[in-house]
């Protein structure tokens, strides 16, 4: 089979699994943001657990298709791996570690949101959830950028480190602002959605 067809097929599968992961992460974030209004409904908490379980095979697929692409392009020779490919490996590693941390730390903490709104959680719990959410958002955005923007191929390692450092820094800064503002801003500032208790 033509090598270019294999590369195109692997790239398609890689981008499809990446898109699935981004969609699931966005749905999870949307659900968690409901806690700014008030306690999460049972159905929202259950959905977050299902999304986390479904993310495991998605990450496995991202790793598998990524390694196939890496093999097709570089024969897995470190000297052939460009700074952009090293950046992709780093971002997916961060995504994987963050998913593990979400399962071990964030999901148990989210159970408290079935009883109280996000702003009423202790500061340490809010910062934990915000930090993991910020890392998740930055990682998915970085993975998407690395998969879509051909211009990143021409950047050196230091330039990529600076660029993605800014992305992660801005995302974490925004997450911390939300965590702090959620405590300071009263519930009356938010329009409560229709009840979702089930």
């Amino acid at each position: 089979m033509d090598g270019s067809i294999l590369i195109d097929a692997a790239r398609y599968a890689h981008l499809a699994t990446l898109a699935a992961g981004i969609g699931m992460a966005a749905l999870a974030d949307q659900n968690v943001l409901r806690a700014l209004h008030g306690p999460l409904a049972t159905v929202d908490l259950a959905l977050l657990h299902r999304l986390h379980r479904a993310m495991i095979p998605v990450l496995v697929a991202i790793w598998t298709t990524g390694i196939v692409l890496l093999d097709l392009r570089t024969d897995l020779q470190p000297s052939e791996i460009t700074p952009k490919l090293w950046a992709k490996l780093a971002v997916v590693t961060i995504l994987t570690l963050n998913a593990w941390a979400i399962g071990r730390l964030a999901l148990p903490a989210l159970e408290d949101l079935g009883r109280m709104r996000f702003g009423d959680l202790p500061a340490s719990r809010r910062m934990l959830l915000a930090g993991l959410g910020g890392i998740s958002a930055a990682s998915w955005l970085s993975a998407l950028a690395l998969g879509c923007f051909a211009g990143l191929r021409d950047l050196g390692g230091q330039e990529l480190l600076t660029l993605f450092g800014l992305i992660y820094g801005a995302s974490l800064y925004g997450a911390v602002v939300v965590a702090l503002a959620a405590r300071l801003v009263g519930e009356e500032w938010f329009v409560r959605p229709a009840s979702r208790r089930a």
Side-chain angles (χ1 to χ4, degrees):
M1 183 182 289
D2 189 338
S4 64
I5 294 176
L6 281 175
I7 290 176
D8 286 344
R11 184 187 297 118
Y12 178 84
H14 191 63
L15 290 175
T17 54
L18 179 63
I22 290 171
M24 290 164 50
L27 183 56
D29 289 345
Q30 179 188 12
N31 252 24
V32 172
L33 288 174
R34 293 181 192 280
L36 292 173
H37 302 284
L40 290 180
T42 303
V43 292
D44 293 323
L45 291 169
L47 178 60
L48 289 170
H49 284 278
R50 287 197 306 273
L51 286 170
H52 183 70
R53 287 193 300 271
M55 188 63 78
I56 295 170
V58 167
L59 285 170
V60 169
I62 288 172
W63 272 108
T64 303
T65 56
I67 290 171
V68 168
L69 278 170
L70 199 61
D71 183 38
L72 290 170
R73 291 175 174 166
T74 70
D75 287 328
L76 299 180
Q77 297 298 316
S79 61
E80 298 296 317
I81 300 177
T82 64
K84 180 182 174 183
L85 291 175
W86 282 118
K88 286 183 177 182
L89 287 168
V91 167
V92 177
T93 299
I94 293 170
L95 272 174
T96 304
L97 293 173
N98 196 60
W100 175 84
I102 287 171
R104 291 296 300 269
L105 304 172
L107 287 181
L110 287 173
E111 293 302 320
D112 289 339
L113 295 180
R115 300 185 299 275
M116 65 183 77
R117 70 185 190 92
F118 181 74
D120 295 329
L121 291 174
S124 60
R125 196 70 61 88
R126 280 184 282 125
M127 290 301 173
L128 169 69
L129 293 172
L132 292 173
I135 291 170
S136 175
S139 298
W140 287 113
L141 289 174
S142 297
L144 180 63
L146 286 163
C148 294
F149 298 134
L152 295 179
R153 181 177 52 235
D154 301 324
L155 297 182
Q158 187 59 48
E159 293 168 309
L160 287 169
L161 186 61
T162 300
L163 174 62
F164 291 109
L166 289 172
I167 292 172
Y168 277 87
S171 185
L172 284 170
Y173 177 79
V176 168
V177 168
V178 169
L180 294 174
R183 181 64 175 169
L184 298 174
V185 177
E187 189 175 353
E188 66 275 4
W189 282 54
F190 300 105
V191 178
R192 183 182 292 277
S195 174
R196 290 171 52 86
R197 293 282 161 189

